[in-house]
Each structure stands twice: as C-alpha cells, then as structure tokens.
Amino acid sequence: MKVVVIGGTGLIGSKLVGKLDEHGHDAVAAAPSTGVNTLTGEGLAEVLEGASVVVDVSNSPSFEDEAVMDFFRTSTANLLKAEAETGVKHHVALSVVGTERLQGSGYFRAKQAQEELIKASGMPYSIVHATQFFEFAKGLADGVTDGDTVRLPAGKIQPIVSDDVAAAVGRTAVGSPVNGVVEVAGPETFELEDFIRMGLAAKNDARKIVTDPKATYWGAELQETTLLPGPDAHIAETRFADWLAQQK
C-alpha cells in the first residue's frame, strides 16, 4: 500500500519509511524539504494521491506555547481535510504517553489539541503513544540545566529507543484503524534522575544531577507515574544499557 509519512525525513520518519519499504510498501517521505508543507497545504493533495494511509510523525520547529499550538492545530486540520478529499482510509499519529496528564505544559496542550482534532474528524484513526526516547536524554537534561546542575522533578520513566517506536508505528500503520490510542514503551522503568544520569555519563557529561521538588517536566508538574504507560502497552525489547553500549 502507499503510505505517506508526514515528517518523513526526521528521526522517526526516516526509520519508518525504511521499515515500510523493507516490507514492500510504497512509503513516501513528506516534509517541507520534499515540497510538502502541512502548515500552508503546499503539495498535500499531490502527495496524498493514491495513498491508503497517512502517518503523522511531524513536530513543531518551535516549542514556544503559542507557536506549538498553532503548528499542531493548523497542520493537523490541513492534513485531515486533504485526506478526506483524496480518499485516505487511515490516519496514524505519533503522540506521547501521559499527554493527557501533562496539561501544565504548552507543548502537551498542543499535542492534546492535535489528538482531539483527529478524534473529532470522522477519519478512521490510530494514535500511538510512545514514552520518552533514549536519544532525548541529553535534550531533556539541557532543558532543565541551571549552570552545571540538572534539576529534575521526581518521577518514573520507561524510555524506548527510536527504532522500536518506528517499528510500532509501522505495525499500526499497516493494520486496521483502532479508533483509539495504543501505547508503546521500553522494557525497563527508571527513576527519571537515573535515566538522565546514565545518558549523560555515556557522553562523559559531568553535569550534576539533582531531584528538585520545584522542577517541572517541560513546564508540567509530575506525579510518580505520570510518564508511565498503562498495563496494556506493547513493551519493546531494547534495553537502555545495551543501546548505550552500541553508541560508543
């Protein structure tokens, strides 16, 4: 089948296109660099022609509250409209485990708005909620660094490698629409502080890491289980320590 991957040149998108191609599907990477702009609508009708499935793994170039909300609302609305007009049968979107519990964050409010647009559209859909990626440990630390100290909220996390996220999204894309949310997570649960410490240590990053009761997660307060998946989540196999060892 023809599967159009919005954000198909990014971390998840490029892996997803490769996996779909390996399984004999016609996967098309759609991004501004390939002439497809979901904010303006440029190139959408053309790229969606003949597509059975659209997978949206795009992300906002800005995480500022107003900009990220505008991105997800505008992009998703344009995409859903174009899909209806071209006969797409399944809309798949990648989102984040705990989105509905992280509404103190402008980013997650925007992701929630994206999900609500999809659910209200009438388009058959599947939303994949993934936990935090292994690859983003340093980026998460950078966002809460004060001088040479990383100040993290208390909480648990069950991170996953991007390859396993791409595989889960691919399985969902070629399956029947679930008209709901499916969750995917890694095999191990860590204290957030321990996950970041391991990730930075692997890069010889000597920043001090502390748990700070005043710290937030992208602006949202955390409870212990906010970032953890539910009992029905698909659990991937790749362990964090094994992945870190492969990066050296």
Side-chain angles (χ1 to χ4, degrees):
M1 65 178 73
K2 180 179 177 181
V3 182
V4 175
V5 181
I6 306 297
T9 59
L11 174 66
I12 299 296
S14 58
K15 294 176 185 291
L16 176 58
V17 167
K19 290 178 184 294
L20 290 169
D21 282 342
E22 287 173 8
H23 287 84
H25 300 288
D26 176 16
V28 180
S33 61
T34 68
V36 180
N37 190 321
T38 54
L39 287 178
T40 64
E42 176 191 359
L44 270 182
E46 293 81 2
V47 78
L48 296 186
E49 188 66 36
S52 301
V53 182
V54 169
V55 183
D56 185 3
V57 295
S58 63
N59 210 349
S60 174
S62 169
F63 282 17
E64 188 274 325
D65 285 4
E66 187 173 335
V68 72
M69 181 63 80
D70 180 66
F71 174 85
F72 281 116
R73 279 183 169 165
T74 303
S75 175
T76 303
N78 286 342
L79 196 50
L80 291 166
K81 180 175 183 290
E83 289 170 11
E85 292 171 349
T86 54
V88 170
K89 304 300 185 188
H90 188 187
H91 179 98
V92 180
L94 177 61
S95 194
V96 186
V97 164
T99 289
E100 70 284 3
R101 301 186 292 270
L102 292 162
Q103 294 300 291
S105 161
Y107 179 81
F108 289 104
R109 286 195 296 274
K111 290 298 289 182
Q112 186 71 19
Q114 176 193 29
E115 293 186 26
E116 289 170 357
L117 283 170
I118 294 166
K119 292 173 182 177
S121 69
M123 172 70 64
Y125 73 92
S126 304
I127 297 172
V128 180
H129 273 191
T131 51
Q132 180 65 270
F133 304 166
F134 291 174
E135 288 90 343
F136 291 169
K138 181 181 181 298
L140 178 56
D142 290 348
V144 290
T145 294
D146 176 14
D148 63 354
T149 301
V150 180
R151 299 188 179 279
L152 295 164
K156 296 185 182 297
I157 195 166
Q158 197 169 329
I160 184 171
V161 71
S162 61
D163 292 275
D164 290 343
V165 175
V169 174
R171 286 192 302 270
T172 303
V174 301
S176 299
V178 301
N179 294 314
V181 174
V182 295
E183 291 187 322
V184 60
E188 304 165 287
T189 300
F190 301 95
E191 294 293 340
L192 183 57
E193 180 180 324
D194 293 336
F195 167 60
I196 300 300
R197 182 175 288 109
M198 290 173 67
L200 294 187
K203 295 179 176 293
N204 298 312
D205 188 323
R207 277 179 284 179
K208 180 182 178 183
I209 300 171
V210 300
T211 295
D212 184 340
K214 295 181 180 179
T216 63
Y217 187 85
W218 303 117
E221 293 184 2
L222 283 190
Q223 303 298 320
E224 184 180 40
T225 61
T226 300
L227 303 177
L228 297 183
D232 296 328
H234 172 80
I235 303 301
E237 295 184 357
T238 309
R239 297 168 65 88
F240 190 38
D242 294 339
W243 178 79
L244 286 174
Q246 294 169 2
Q247 307 310 302
K248 297 178 180 178

